[in-house]
């Protein structure tokens, strides 16, 4: 293991230890909730960059030109620590999410309802990241052999997909916050980009592409198709949601009108009754 890697691991461990202490002090404040969300967003973006760098390098005919790939491993380590900080924040949180949960429910084996399943998926992604990280050391690769290591490394795609499902369904800033209209399209675009590059890579394995420009063109076309499909799907879903909301409002308005009509009819009946009883009383007096 290179000295730089050791330094990153030591610094990451020290920061994690310090944050464990800090999280215990702010666990009942809004800060812990905000930090949970922040670590979640940054870790997903970092994971996306890690996967993207790997895909770009694999699709390049001349891999030596992909100089940015040198950040692949440091960013992967950084993403793993960020996910762990996200996990610590969620467990420590007594302000919002964590008040009704037990520690064991964060360990990835709780499937009592949909929310717990999505929560467990996030923990599962972290476990897979640890497996990928521990088997990516030079000695581990030598021990496993390159082919076995490569198979294990394919789990990074599973990590990204699971993290995407976890984020889109549980992420406050993707679903409910003021950032949602801006952040959700970005997250969806990231997923589409990784999916597109993976499809291009699958096609490239068939040796159809001979030049780099063909690979690039295929990547652009597939990405365009995926983004266009996602936009159409989102537009359709939005129209259906609007239609349902309009129908619900119309039904509510109809119920309200009927209720008002019933009240008016009841008041009219009372008025008629009072008028009739008043007339009868006047007749008796005469």
């Amino acid at each position: 293991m290179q000295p730089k890697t050791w330094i990153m691991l030591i610094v990451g461990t020290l920061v994690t230890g310090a944050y464990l202490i800090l999280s215990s002090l702010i666990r009942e404040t809004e800060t812990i909730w905000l930090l949970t969300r922040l670590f979640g967003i940054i870790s997903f973006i970092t994971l996306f960059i890690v996967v993207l760098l790997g895909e770009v390098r694999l699709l390049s005919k001349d891999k030596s030109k992909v100089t940015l790939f040198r950040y692949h491993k440091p960013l992967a380590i950084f993403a793993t620590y960020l996910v762990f900080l996200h996990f610590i924040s969620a467990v420590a949180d007594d302000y919002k999410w964590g008040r009704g949960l037990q520690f064991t429910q964060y360990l990835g084996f709780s499937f009592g309802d949909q929310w717990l399943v999505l929560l467990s998926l996030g923990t599962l992604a972290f476990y897979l990241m640890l497996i990928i990280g521990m088997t990516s050391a030079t000695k581990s690769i030598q021990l496993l052999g390159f082919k076995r290591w490569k198979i294990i490394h394919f789990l990074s795609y599973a990590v990204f997909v699971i993290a995407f499902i976890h984020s889109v369904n549980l992420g406050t800033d993707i679903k409910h916050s003021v950032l949602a209209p801006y952040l959700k399209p970005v997250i969806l675009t990231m997923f589409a980009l990784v999916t597109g590059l993976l499809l291009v890579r699958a096609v490239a394995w068939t040796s159809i592409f001979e030049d780099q420009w063909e690979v690039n063109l295929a990547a652009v076309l597939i990405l365009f198709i995926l983004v266009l499909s996602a936009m159409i799907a989102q537009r359709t879903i939005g129209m259906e949601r609007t239609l349902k909301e309009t129908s619900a409002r119309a039904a509510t308005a109809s119920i309200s009108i009927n209720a008002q009509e019933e009240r008016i009819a009841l008041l009219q009946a009372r008025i008629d009754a009072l008028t009739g009883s008043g007339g009868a009383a006047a007749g008796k007096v005469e």
Side-chain angles (χ1 to χ4, degrees), residues 100-147:
L101 294 174
Q102 302 295 326
F103 174 74
T104 53
Q105 292 178 305
Y106 287 99
L107 298 180
F109 307 104
S110 299
F111 306 100
D113 56 39
Q114 182 180 356
W115 197 89
L116 287 175
V117 169
L118 294 169
L119 183 68
S120 296
L121 285 177
T123 308
L124 175 61
F126 177 62
Y127 292 157
L128 293 177
M129 290 178 74
L130 289 178
I131 293 172
I132 295 168
M134 289 186 292
T135 56
S136 293
T138 304
K139 290 185 178 180
S140 298
I141 296 173
Q142 292 173 350
L143 182 64
L144 290 169
F146 182 76
K147 290 185 177 179

Side-chain angles (χ1 to χ4, degrees), residues 1 28-29 40 52 75 77 87 100 106 108 113 132 137-138 175 202 206 208 224 230 233 249-250 256 263 265 269 274:
M1 192 178 294
E28 295 181 355
T29 67
L52 181 65
L75 285 174
I77 296 173
F87 174 81
Y106 287 99
D113 56 39
I132 295 168
T138 304
K175 295 182 66 177
T206 62
I208 293 177
F224 174 76
R249 289 172 185 168
S256 178
R263 291 193 188 99
L274 290 172

Side-chain angles (χ1 to χ4, degrees), residues 178-277:
V178 294
L179 296 175
Y182 311 100
L183 192 58
K184 188 173 183 179
V186 172
I187 299 298
L188 293 176
T189 302
M190 290 178 180
F191 183 76
L193 181 57
V194 170
T195 304
L197 291 176
L198 184 58
L199 290 174
V200 174
R201 183 179 173 188
V203 175
W205 277 341
T206 62
S207 301
I208 293 177
F209 305 130
E210 295 181 358
D211 298 319
Q212 185 64 50
W213 72 268
E214 294 177 340
V215 176
N216 297 340
L217 180 61
V220 171
L221 289 175
I222 290 178
L223 178 61
F224 174 76
I225 293 171
L226 287 173
V227 171
L228 182 62
S229 301
M231 290 175 64
I232 293 173
Q234 187 174 12
R235 181 69 174 175
T236 303
I237 293 171
M239 291 176 65
E240 290 179 353
R241 186 182 295 114
T242 302
L243 182 60
K244 288 180 180 178
E245 291 175 354
T246 303
S247 299
R249 289 172 185 168
T252 303
S254 177
I255 293 172
S256 178
I257 292 171
N258 291 336
Q260 291 293 338
E261 290 177 348
E262 290 177 359
R263 291 193 188 99
I264 292 172
L266 182 60
L267 287 173
Q268 186 64 47
R270 289 178 179 176
I271 292 171
D272 292 342
L274 290 172
T275 303
S277 61

Side-chain angles (χ1 to χ4, degrees), residues 139-157:
K139 290 185 178 180
S140 298
I141 296 173
Q142 292 173 350
L143 182 64
L144 290 169
F146 182 76
K147 290 185 177 179
R148 293 191 185 92
W149 168 80
K150 195 170 184 178
I151 292 173
I152 295 173
H153 211 68
F154 277 130
L155 291 174
S156 58
Y157 298 112

Side-chain angles (χ1 to χ4, degrees), residues 57-74:
R57 181 177 181 273
L58 288 169
L59 288 172
S60 299
K61 297 293 184 180
D62 186 359
K63 294 177 173 49
S64 62
K65 292 183 178 180
V66 188
T67 56
L68 289 176
F69 186 74
R70 65 178 181 270
Y71 299 111
H72 176 78
K73 189 172 183 178

